[in-house]
Amino acid sequence: MILPFSMDDLLALIHSTRPIIMDAYAARQVTVKGLADYVTAVDLGVQHYLEGALPGLCPDAQLLAEEEAKWSIDPTRPFWVLDPIDGTTNLMHDYQQSCVALAYCAEGAIQCAVVYNPFREETFSALRGEGGWLNGAPIQVSRHPDLAHSLTVFGTTPYDKSKSVSVFERARRLFCASEDVRRGGSAELDLCYVACGRTECFVELDLKPWDFCAGMLILEEAGGRLTDEAGNTPCLYRNSDVVASNGLVHQELLALLGDVPV
């Protein structure tokens, strides 16, 4: 489809959040939302800034965003999916593995996406049918054909530690089947790392749409695949388990995880 805005304008807008994200004082202004679930003044600052700016790109688009989330969107109309800071706990600890992630959805699909990590000055982006990019250069998933030659990543679902046995059984299986495992702390960046070939797969339970929508398109446009653990395409406006890969190891990955209880 033809976007109602230019990718250059979208990228410029996302890059303009940098001063807000890099405010170390604001990153230390923390409110506890729940178990291992935090919001900082940076999260709120980025969201409020983009809430005001996005209508200038697409006046009719709805907004599904992490902070003060409104789930009552009409999926038949265009909508944005925004995580103002993915990796908030990382941000609080100056771990520098945090990003702003934004996807534009219309006609039942993600049409474009941007994931920006200002700490590394890395911008991942994608346009449906046109490819995925890192800082403007095309990216592709790795060609490793099996888990035995793969670097794998898992998420810990920290907001629900009742799932820890299930989470770490998945991690144990990934560790035993692959070269090694990693834990990044930002699902959107984890997906982008699969997209650009730094890793081969990523697994996490119960992600919210803003945790995976932008990375999903970037990964798919780079030649990868993202499903839930049953092998189905996740809904763009509901929580989902996520299994992401370079595509070549996907069936092996699904089989490895298939009988682990949630």
Short mmCIF file of all heavy atoms in Angstrom, two decimals, residues 201-239:
data_model
loop_
_atom_site.label_atom_id
_atom_site.label_comp_id
_atom_site.label_asym_id
_atom_site.label_seq_id
_atom_site.Cartn_x
_atom_site.Cartn_y
_atom_site.Cartn_z
N CYS A 201 17.71 -16.96 16.68
CA CYS A 201 16.32 -17.09 17.13
C CYS A 201 16.11 -16.41 18.47
O CYS A 201 17.06 -16.15 19.23
CB CYS A 201 15.87 -18.54 17.18
SG CYS A 201 16.82 -19.59 18.28
N PHE A 202 14.84 -16.14 18.75
CA PHE A 202 14.42 -15.47 19.99
C PHE A 202 13.09 -16.06 20.42
O PHE A 202 12.19 -16.25 19.60
CB PHE A 202 14.28 -13.97 19.76
CG PHE A 202 13.53 -13.25 20.86
CD1 PHE A 202 14.08 -13.13 22.13
CD2 PHE A 202 12.28 -12.71 20.63
CE1 PHE A 202 13.39 -12.49 23.14
CE2 PHE A 202 11.58 -12.06 21.63
CZ PHE A 202 12.14 -11.95 22.90
N VAL A 203 12.95 -16.31 21.73
CA VAL A 203 11.73 -16.91 22.28
C VAL A 203 11.34 -16.15 23.56
O VAL A 203 12.19 -15.89 24.42
CB VAL A 203 11.97 -18.40 22.64
CG1 VAL A 203 10.76 -18.98 23.37
CG2 VAL A 203 12.29 -19.20 21.39
N GLU A 204 10.07 -15.80 23.67
CA GLU A 204 9.56 -15.25 24.94
C GLU A 204 8.06 -15.48 25.04
O GLU A 204 7.35 -15.43 24.03
CB GLU A 204 9.89 -13.77 25.11
CG GLU A 204 9.51 -13.25 26.50
CD GLU A 204 10.19 -11.96 26.90
OE1 GLU A 204 10.87 -11.33 26.06
OE2 GLU A 204 10.04 -11.56 28.08
N LEU A 205 7.60 -15.71 26.26
CA LEU A 205 6.18 -15.91 26.53
C LEU A 205 5.47 -14.58 26.75
O LEU A 205 6.04 -13.63 27.31
CB LEU A 205 6.00 -16.79 27.78
CG LEU A 205 6.55 -18.21 27.74
CD1 LEU A 205 6.37 -18.87 29.11
CD2 LEU A 205 5.86 -19.03 26.65
N ASP A 206 4.19 -14.52 26.36
CA ASP A 206 3.25 -13.48 26.77
C ASP A 206 3.75 -12.06 26.52
O ASP A 206 3.73 -11.22 27.40
CB ASP A 206 2.90 -13.66 28.25
CG ASP A 206 1.64 -12.90 28.66
OD1 ASP A 206 0.77 -12.70 27.78
OD2 ASP A 206 1.53 -12.50 29.83
N LEU A 207 4.19 -11.80 25.31
CA LEU A 207 4.58 -10.44 24.94
C LEU A 207 3.36 -9.63 24.53
O LEU A 207 2.43 -10.15 23.92
CB LEU A 207 5.58 -10.47 23.79
CG LEU A 207 7.00 -10.92 24.14
CD1 LEU A 207 7.84 -10.99 22.87
CD2 LEU A 207 7.64 -10.01 25.17
N LYS A 208 3.40 -8.35 24.83
CA LYS A 208 2.35 -7.44 24.40
C LYS A 208 2.66 -6.94 22.99
O LYS A 208 3.80 -7.02 22.53
CB LYS A 208 2.22 -6.29 25.39
CG LYS A 208 1.75 -6.76 26.77
CD LYS A 208 1.62 -5.60 27.73
CE LYS A 208 1.00 -6.07 29.05
NZ LYS A 208 1.85 -7.08 29.74
N PRO A 209 1.64 -6.45 22.26
CA PRO A 209 1.87 -6.06 20.87
C PRO A 209 3.03 -5.09 20.68
O PRO A 209 3.79 -5.20 19.71
CB PRO A 209 0.53 -5.44 20.44
CG PRO A 209 -0.48 -6.06 21.35
CD PRO A 209 0.22 -6.28 22.66
N TRP A 210 3.16 -4.12 21.59
CA TRP A 210 4.23 -3.14 21.44
C TRP A 210 5.61 -3.74 21.70
O TRP A 210 6.62 -3.10 21.43
CB TRP A 210 4.00 -1.94 22.35
CG TRP A 210 3.60 -2.28 23.75
CD1 TRP A 210 4.41 -2.69 24.76
CD2 TRP A 210 2.27 -2.26 24.28
NE1 TRP A 210 3.68 -2.92 25.90
CE2 TRP A 210 2.37 -2.66 25.64
CE3 TRP A 210 1.02 -1.91 23.76
CZ2 TRP A 210 1.24 -2.74 26.47
CZ3 TRP A 210 -0.08 -2.00 24.60
CH2 TRP A 210 0.03 -2.41 25.93
N ASP A 211 5.66 -4.95 22.22
CA ASP A 211 6.94 -5.63 22.42
C ASP A 211 7.43 -6.35 21.18
O ASP A 211 8.61 -6.74 21.12
CB ASP A 211 6.83 -6.67 23.55
CG ASP A 211 6.56 -6.05 24.91
OD1 ASP A 211 7.14 -4.98 25.18
OD2 ASP A 211 5.77 -6.63 25.69
N PHE A 212 6.55 -6.58 20.19
CA PHE A 212 6.99 -7.38 19.04
C PHE A 212 6.56 -6.88 17.67
O PHE A 212 7.13 -7.31 16.65
CB PHE A 212 6.53 -8.84 19.19
CG PHE A 212 5.05 -9.09 19.11
CD1 PHE A 212 4.43 -9.24 17.89
CD2 PHE A 212 4.27 -9.19 20.25
CE1 PHE A 212 3.05 -9.48 17.79
CE2 PHE A 212 2.91 -9.44 20.18
CZ PHE A 212 2.29 -9.58 18.95
N CYS A 213 5.58 -5.98 17.58
CA CYS A 213 5.04 -5.64 16.25
C CYS A 213 6.09 -5.01 15.33
O CYS A 213 6.21 -5.40 14.16
CB CYS A 213 3.84 -4.71 16.40
SG CYS A 213 2.30 -5.57 16.72
N ALA A 214 6.84 -4.03 15.82
CA ALA A 214 7.83 -3.38 14.96
C ALA A 214 8.91 -4.38 14.54
O ALA A 214 9.25 -4.50 13.35
CB ALA A 214 8.45 -2.18 15.67
N GLY A 215 9.43 -5.12 15.50
CA GLY A 215 10.47 -6.11 15.19
C GLY A 215 9.98 -7.22 14.29
O GLY A 215 10.76 -7.79 13.52
N MET A 216 8.70 -7.53 14.38
CA MET A 216 8.14 -8.59 13.54
C MET A 216 8.27 -8.25 12.06
O MET A 216 8.73 -9.07 11.26
CB MET A 216 6.67 -8.80 13.91
CG MET A 216 5.94 -9.85 13.11
SD MET A 216 4.23 -10.02 13.72
CE MET A 216 3.58 -11.21 12.57
N LEU A 217 7.88 -7.04 11.68
CA LEU A 217 7.98 -6.68 10.26
C LEU A 217 9.45 -6.60 9.83
O LEU A 217 9.81 -7.07 8.74
CB LEU A 217 7.28 -5.35 9.99
CG LEU A 217 7.33 -4.92 8.52
CD1 LEU A 217 6.55 -5.88 7.64
CD2 LEU A 217 6.85 -3.49 8.34
N ILE A 218 10.29 -6.02 10.66
CA ILE A 218 11.71 -5.90 10.32
C ILE A 218 12.31 -7.29 10.10
O ILE A 218 13.05 -7.51 9.13
CB ILE A 218 12.45 -5.12 11.43
CG1 ILE A 218 11.98 -3.67 11.45
CG2 ILE A 218 13.96 -5.19 11.22
CD1 ILE A 218 12.36 -2.89 12.69
N LEU A 219 11.97 -8.22 10.97
CA LEU A 219 12.47 -9.60 10.84
C LEU A 219 11.94 -10.24 9.56
O LEU A 219 12.71 -10.86 8.79
CB LEU A 219 12.05 -10.41 12.05
CG LEU A 219 12.34 -11.91 12.00
CD1 LEU A 219 13.83 -12.18 11.90
CD2 LEU A 219 11.73 -12.63 13.21
N GLU A 220 10.65 -10.14 9.32
CA GLU A 220 10.07 -10.79 8.13
C GLU A 220 10.63 -10.20 6.84
O GLU A 220 10.90 -10.94 5.89
CB GLU A 220 8.55 -10.68 8.18
CG GLU A 220 7.93 -11.52 9.29
CD GLU A 220 6.43 -11.38 9.40
OE1 GLU A 220 5.86 -10.42 8.84
OE2 GLU A 220 5.82 -12.23 10.07
N GLU A 221 10.82 -8.89 6.82
CA GLU A 221 11.36 -8.27 5.61
C GLU A 221 12.83 -8.62 5.39
O GLU A 221 13.33 -8.52 4.27
CB GLU A 221 11.17 -6.75 5.67
CG GLU A 221 9.74 -6.30 5.47
CD GLU A 221 9.20 -6.66 4.08
OE1 GLU A 221 9.95 -6.47 3.09
OE2 GLU A 221 8.05 -7.14 3.98
N ALA A 222 13.50 -9.06 6.46
CA ALA A 222 14.90 -9.50 6.35
C ALA A 222 15.01 -10.99 6.05
O ALA A 222 16.11 -11.54 6.01
CB ALA A 222 15.66 -9.16 7.63
N GLY A 223 13.85 -11.66 5.87
CA GLY A 223 13.85 -13.07 5.50
C GLY A 223 13.57 -14.03 6.62
O GLY A 223 13.63 -15.24 6.43
N GLY A 224 13.25 -13.51 7.82
CA GLY A 224 12.98 -14.37 8.96
C GLY A 224 11.51 -14.68 9.14
O GLY A 224 10.66 -14.33 8.29
N ARG A 225 11.21 -15.32 10.24
CA ARG A 225 9.85 -15.77 10.51
C ARG A 225 9.51 -15.56 11.98
O ARG A 225 10.37 -15.75 12.86
CB ARG A 225 9.69 -17.24 10.14
CG ARG A 225 8.28 -17.77 10.25
CD ARG A 225 8.19 -19.23 9.85
NE ARG A 225 6.85 -19.76 10.04
CZ ARG A 225 6.55 -21.04 10.06
NH1 ARG A 225 7.49 -21.95 9.87
NH2 ARG A 225 5.29 -21.45 10.25
N LEU A 226 8.28 -15.17 12.26
CA LEU A 226 7.80 -15.00 13.64
C LEU A 226 6.41 -15.61 13.76
O LEU A 226 5.52 -15.29 12.97
CB LEU A 226 7.77 -13.53 14.04
CG LEU A 226 7.47 -13.22 15.51
CD1 LEU A 226 8.16 -11.92 15.94
CD2 LEU A 226 5.97 -13.12 15.78
N THR A 227 6.25 -16.50 14.75
CA THR A 227 4.95 -17.13 15.03
C THR A 227 4.78 -17.21 16.54
O THR A 227 5.66 -16.85 17.31
CB THR A 227 4.88 -18.57 14.46
OG1 THR A 227 5.78 -19.42 15.19
CG2 THR A 227 5.23 -18.60 12.99
N ASP A 228 3.62 -17.75 16.97
CA ASP A 228 3.49 -18.18 18.35
C ASP A 228 4.02 -19.61 18.44
O ASP A 228 4.52 -20.17 17.46
CB ASP A 228 2.06 -18.04 18.86
CG ASP A 228 1.05 -18.90 18.08
OD1 ASP A 228 1.47 -19.86 17.40
OD2 ASP A 228 -0.16 -18.63 18.19
N GLU A 229 3.91 -20.23 19.62
CA GLU A 229 4.49 -21.56 19.78
C GLU A 229 3.71 -22.65 19.05
O GLU A 229 4.21 -23.75 18.86
CB GLU A 229 4.63 -21.90 21.27
CG GLU A 229 5.74 -21.11 21.94
CD GLU A 229 6.18 -21.68 23.26
OE1 GLU A 229 5.46 -22.53 23.82
OE2 GLU A 229 7.25 -21.28 23.75
N ALA A 230 2.49 -22.32 18.61
CA ALA A 230 1.72 -23.27 17.79
C ALA A 230 2.01 -23.10 16.30
O ALA A 230 1.46 -23.82 15.48
CB ALA A 230 0.23 -23.09 18.06
N GLY A 231 2.87 -22.14 15.97
CA GLY A 231 3.20 -21.90 14.57
C GLY A 231 2.26 -20.95 13.87
O GLY A 231 2.33 -20.81 12.64
N ASN A 232 1.39 -20.26 14.63
CA ASN A 232 0.43 -19.34 14.04
C ASN A 232 0.94 -17.90 14.09
O ASN A 232 1.74 -17.54 14.96
CB ASN A 232 -0.90 -19.41 14.80
CG ASN A 232 -1.50 -20.80 14.76
OD1 ASN A 232 -1.54 -21.44 13.70
ND2 ASN A 232 -1.96 -21.29 15.90
N THR A 233 0.45 -17.08 13.18
CA THR A 233 0.80 -15.66 13.17
C THR A 233 0.12 -14.95 14.33
O THR A 233 -1.10 -15.06 14.50
CB THR A 233 0.38 -15.00 11.85
OG1 THR A 233 1.02 -15.68 10.77
CG2 THR A 233 0.75 -13.53 11.83
N PRO A 234 0.86 -14.21 15.16
CA PRO A 234 0.23 -13.53 16.30
C PRO A 234 -0.72 -12.42 15.86
O PRO A 234 -0.55 -11.82 14.80
CB PRO A 234 1.42 -12.93 17.06
CG PRO A 234 2.61 -13.68 16.59
CD PRO A 234 2.32 -14.07 15.17
N CYS A 235 -1.71 -12.16 16.69
CA CYS A 235 -2.59 -11.02 16.50
C CYS A 235 -1.81 -9.74 16.81
O CYS A 235 -1.00 -9.70 17.74
CB CYS A 235 -3.80 -11.14 17.43
SG CYS A 235 -4.93 -9.73 17.35
N LEU A 236 -2.06 -8.69 16.05
CA LEU A 236 -1.30 -7.45 16.20
C LEU A 236 -1.79 -6.58 17.35
O LEU A 236 -1.14 -5.58 17.67
CB LEU A 236 -1.38 -6.64 14.90
CG LEU A 236 -0.88 -7.33 13.64
CD1 LEU A 236 -0.99 -6.40 12.45
CD2 LEU A 236 0.54 -7.85 13.82
N TYR A 237 -2.89 -6.93 17.98
CA TYR A 237 -3.42 -6.09 19.06
C TYR A 237 -3.78 -6.90 20.29
O TYR A 237 -4.61 -6.49 21.10
CB TYR A 237 -4.61 -5.25 18.57
CG TYR A 237 -5.66 -6.03 17.81
CD1 TYR A 237 -6.73 -6.62 18.46
CD2 TYR A 237 -5.57 -6.17 16.43
CE1 TYR A 237 -7.68 -7.34 17.77
CE2 TYR A 237 -6.51 -6.89 15.73
CZ TYR A 237 -7.57 -7.47 16.40
OH TYR A 237 -8.51 -8.18 15.70
N ARG A 238 -3.14 -8.08 20.45
CA ARG A 238 -3.32 -8.89 21.66
C ARG A 238 -1.97 -9.47 22.08
O ARG A 238 -1.04 -9.57 21.27
CB ARG A 238 -4.29 -10.05 21.42
CG ARG A 238 -5.72 -9.63 21.12
CD ARG A 238 -6.69 -10.81 21.27
NE ARG A 238 -8.04 -10.43 20.88
CZ ARG A 238 -8.60 -10.68 19.71
NH1 ARG A 238 -7.91 -11.35 18.80
NH2 ARG A 238 -9.83 -10.31 19.43
N ASN A 239 -1.87 -9.88 23.34
CA ASN A 239 -0.67 -10.54 23.81
C ASN A 239 -0.44 -11.85 23.05
O ASN A 239 -1.38 -12.51 22.62
CB ASN A 239 -0.77 -10.86 25.30
CG ASN A 239 -0.68 -9.63 26.17
OD1 ASN A 239 -0.88 -8.51 25.70
ND2 ASN A 239 -0.38 -9.83 27.43
#
